[in-house]
């Protein structure tokens, strides 16, 4: 069930009406939201609903036990390790067995060993990385004392399965979400205008910009990079940078807006990342919920930057390699993580933290092109095709003509221009629209929906991050 579809609109209207009619009956309301979230997930693949429920049950049981064990005990550490280990094992089997299994068999054959590993065709459950990380967040936050264990298991199951952020984030911390379940939602606190702007903006970025670039430029060029000239490859690279930003940030915006209409607050997940003047700043602006998760649950426990420069660089490399593998089981993702890890380590060693003025602009251009180099690895199905793209950028062995049109070039420029709007611009737009009568804003929103549907290409493409 995709966000920009009539099917989801009908589903959400039913949930919205039921939710606010049950607002004064919290337990019944939470039960309804949980069942609706399970229905939402089952619409993708019903058999994987048991996996989602099992993940939530693991987290709840660990929290239940941790709440009854004293701090600092061996039993408490064992419960935490067992729960997190089970989460990671489940993620590993479904997401990485198909990658590491054949690699281990090939290694065993070279060493003359017959490893007893069956070759299995495993279907990747939608959103498994996101709800697994949320389950880990709950367990670790309770173990650290950053969040209290939920007394009601319904709260934990709803936290893991809540449909707005279930399949593609943002990754919401237990310490942020669970307190919002403690009190009934209030309709008078719902930011209707901001929620509407986020949803409309997300639909525009996904339907018009991301889908338009994918179908009109990026997909055809990356399908056969050797047949295209350097100009096409450069434009397709820039196009993919804009596409993946608009695609993923669109999902986050819609998820935040939908949650807001139900009275819940989600943290911001993107903050104009392509204006970053250092790669460290880029990761503070891109997929903020993932980068902060890796920082707080992996980088800092490894020692962060507190154990000398060599250990800091090693930690950065390890964290980014694991971040690459989180995105997918392929050597291209490993190389993507390695590129970012090495660049972050070089930045740290050089003491670079960005600059202002024209030096800052040059730094932003350099960082953007480094990120684009990473996107080539990210977009390519294998290292060989990534190599073809890199070679074609400078050698241009394909046709001299270009597949790009004025429309696709305009979409690229528009997507990049969004990163240079003044800080707080959306808040000022919201303040202006709040003075409008509700019916006028509703008419404008309806007209915008019709225009978005008319401008965008036919069909509804899945969000890129559904595969993660």
């Amino acid at each position: 069930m995709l966000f920009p579809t009539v099917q989801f609109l009908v589903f959400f209207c039913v949930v919205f009406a039921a939710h606010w009619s049950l607002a004064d009956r919290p337990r019944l309301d939470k039960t309804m939201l949980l069942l609706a979230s399970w229905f939402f997930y089952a619409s993708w693949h019903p058999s994987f609903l048991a996996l989602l429920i099992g993940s939530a049950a693991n987290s709840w049981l660990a929290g239940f036990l941790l709440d009854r064990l004293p701090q600092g005990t061996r039993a408490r550490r064992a419960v935490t390790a067992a729960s997190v280990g089970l989460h990671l094992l489940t993620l590993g089997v479904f997401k990485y067995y198909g990658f590491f299994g054949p690699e281990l068999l090939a290694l065993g054959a070279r060493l003359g060993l017959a490893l007893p590993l069956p070759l299995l065709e495993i279907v990747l459950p939608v959103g498994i990385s996101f709800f697994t990380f949320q389950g880990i967040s709950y367990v670790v936050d309770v173990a650290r004392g950053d969040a209290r264990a939920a007394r009601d298991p319904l709260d934990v199951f709803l936290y893991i399965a809540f449909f707005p952020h279930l399949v593609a984030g943002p990754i919401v911390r237990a310490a942020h979400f669970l307190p919002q379940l403690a009190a009934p939602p209030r309709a008078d606190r719902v930011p209707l205008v901001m929620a509407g702007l986020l949803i409309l903006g997300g639909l525009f970025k996904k339907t018009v910009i991301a889908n338009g670039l994918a179908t009109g430029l990026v997909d055809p060029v990356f399908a056969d990079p050797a047949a295209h000239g350097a100009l096409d490859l450069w434009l397709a690279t820039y196009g993919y940078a804009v596409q993946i930003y608009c695609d993923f940030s669109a999902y986050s915006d819609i998820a935040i807006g939908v949650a807001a209409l139900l009275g819940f607050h989600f943290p911001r997940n993107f903050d104009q990342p392509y204006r970053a003047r250092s790669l460290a700043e880029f990761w503070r602006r891109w997929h903020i919920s993932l980068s902060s998760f890796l920082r707080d649950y992996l980088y800092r426990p490894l020692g962060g930057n507190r154990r000398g420069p060599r250990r800091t660089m090693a930690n950065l490399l390890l964290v980014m390699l694991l971040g690459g593998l989180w995105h997918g089981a392929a050597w291209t993702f490993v190389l993507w993580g390695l590129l970012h890890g090495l660049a972050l380590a070089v930045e740290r060693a050089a003491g670079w933290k960005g600059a202002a003025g024209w030096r800052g602009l040059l730094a932003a251009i350099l960082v953007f092109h480094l990120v684009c180099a990473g996107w080539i690895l990210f977009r390519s199905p294998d290292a060989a095709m990534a190599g073809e793209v890199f070679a074609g950028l400078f050698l241009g062995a394909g046709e001299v003509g270009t597949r790009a049109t004025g429309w696709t070039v305009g979409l690229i420029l528009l997507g990049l221009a969004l990163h240079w709007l003044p800080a707080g611009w959306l808040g000022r737009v919201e303040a202006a629209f709040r003075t409008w009568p509700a019916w006028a804003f509703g008419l404008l929103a309806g007209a915008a929906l019709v225009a978005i549907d008319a401008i965008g290409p036919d069909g509804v493409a899945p969000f890129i991050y559904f595969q993660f």
Side-chain angles (χ1 to χ4, degrees), residues 257-277:
V258 166
L261 291 177
L262 297 174
F264 295 93
H265 175 264
F266 284 179
R268 189 177 189 179
N269 208 26
F270 288 87
D271 182 16
Q272 299 176 306
Y274 293 152
R275 70 183 300 162
R277 291 166 169 79

Side-chain angles (χ1 to χ4, degrees), residues 92-468:
V93 169
F94 280 94
K95 192 163 185 175
Y96 302 109
Y97 185 87
F99 173 65
F100 287 108
E103 294 289 332
L104 289 174
L105 287 173
L107 177 61
R110 287 194 294 270
L111 297 175
L113 301 175
L115 300 177
L117 292 175
L119 290 175
L120 302 176
E121 190 70 30
I122 299 176
V123 178
L124 180 66
V126 172
I128 185 172
S129 296
F130 287 94
F131 67 72
T132 297
F133 271 26
Q134 295 217 151
I136 292 174
S137 166
Y138 174 75
V139 174
V140 174
D141 282 358
V142 172
R144 290 175 174 175
D146 295 335
R148 296 188 62 182
R151 295 184 178 181
D152 189 346
L154 180 60
D155 290 355
V156 180
F157 280 77
L158 179 56
Y159 161 65
I160 299 295
F162 192 40
F163 72 89
H165 67 118
L166 174 57
V167 295
I171 301 168
V172 182
R173 306 285 183 90
H176 179 85
F177 185 83
L178 290 176
Q180 298 184 59
L181 298 176
R186 290 180 51 178
D188 60 334
R189 293 185 177 179
V190 172
L192 290 173
V193 174
M194 179 58 80
L197 291 174
L198 286 171
I199 292 171
L200 289 172
L203 290 173
F204 179 81
K205 285 193 289 186
K206 168 60 178 172
T207 305
V208 177
I209 302 180
N211 289 359
L213 285 172
T215 58
L217 178 62
V218 177
D219 290 350
V221 172
F222 273 88
D224 189 8
H228 294 84
L231 179 60
D232 266 347
L233 290 169
W234 279 104
L235 289 174
T237 299
Y238 295 146
Y240 185 66
V242 172
Q243 179 199 346
I244 193 170
Y245 163 73
C246 286
D247 190 286
F248 192 19
S249 68
Y251 189 96
S252 294
D253 288 348
I254 297 171
I256 294 169
V258 166
L261 291 177
L262 297 174
F264 295 93
H265 175 264
F266 284 179
R268 189 177 189 179
N269 208 26
F270 288 87
D271 182 16
Q272 299 176 306
Y274 293 152
R275 70 183 300 162
R277 291 166 169 79
S278 69
L279 198 61
E281 183 187 356
F282 171 81
W283 278 105
R284 291 193 295 269
R285 292 172 174 270
W286 174 274
H287 200 348
I288 299 169
S289 61
L290 174 64
S291 57
S292 62
F293 183 97
L294 293 174
R295 179 196 66 208
D296 295 341
Y297 296 96
L298 188 57
Y299 179 69
R300 287 177 176 169
L302 286 171
N305 58 358
R306 301 187 304 275
R307 299 183 180 179
R310 291 185 179 180
R311 182 63 179 270
T312 298
M313 292 183 185
N315 290 341
L316 288 170
L317 280 172
L318 178 59
V319 168
M320 294 313 300
L321 279 172
L322 292 176
L325 277 175
W326 178 86
H327 284 88
W331 286 113
T332 49
F333 290 117
V334 174
L335 293 172
W336 177 81
L338 181 62
L339 172 66
H340 278 267
L342 287 172
L344 285 169
V346 169
E347 273 191 0
R348 173 76 63 163
W352 178 258
K353 297 182 180 180
W358 65 269
R359 290 185 178 86
L361 180 59
L362 290 177
I365 293 172
L366 177 62
V367 170
F368 173 69
H369 282 85
L370 177 63
V371 170
C372 284
W375 289 142
I376 292 173
L377 294 167
F378 200 95
R379 176 61 176 78
S380 301
D382 52 51
M385 180 172 284
E388 289 184 12
V389 176
F390 282 118
L393 288 173
F394 301 100
L395 301 178
E399 297 180 1
V400 177
T402 178
R403 178 181 291 271
T405 64
W407 174 250
T408 53
V409 172
L411 291 178
I412 294 172
L413 294 175
L414 176 59
L416 294 176
L418 294 175
H419 291 76
W420 296 95
L421 292 172
W425 69 272
L426 188 59
R428 289 192 286 274
V429 173
E430 179 203 20
F433 279 123
R434 276 205 309 263
T435 63
W436 288 31
W439 63 266
F441 183 73
L443 284 177
L444 179 65
L449 284 174
V450 173
I452 290 170
D453 183 63
I455 297 172
D458 294 334
V460 181
F463 289 88
I464 293 173
Y465 267 66
F466 278 13
Q467 63 185 299
F468 306 133

Side-chain angles (χ1 to χ4, degrees), residues 26-50:
R27 186 167 179 79
L28 187 58
D29 179 40
K30 288 186 286 189
T31 301
M32 183 278 300
L33 288 175
L34 177 61
L35 293 175
S37 297
W38 283 350
F39 174 81
F40 176 83
Y41 192 72
S43 70
W44 300 103
H45 205 302
S47 62
F48 288 137
L49 180 58

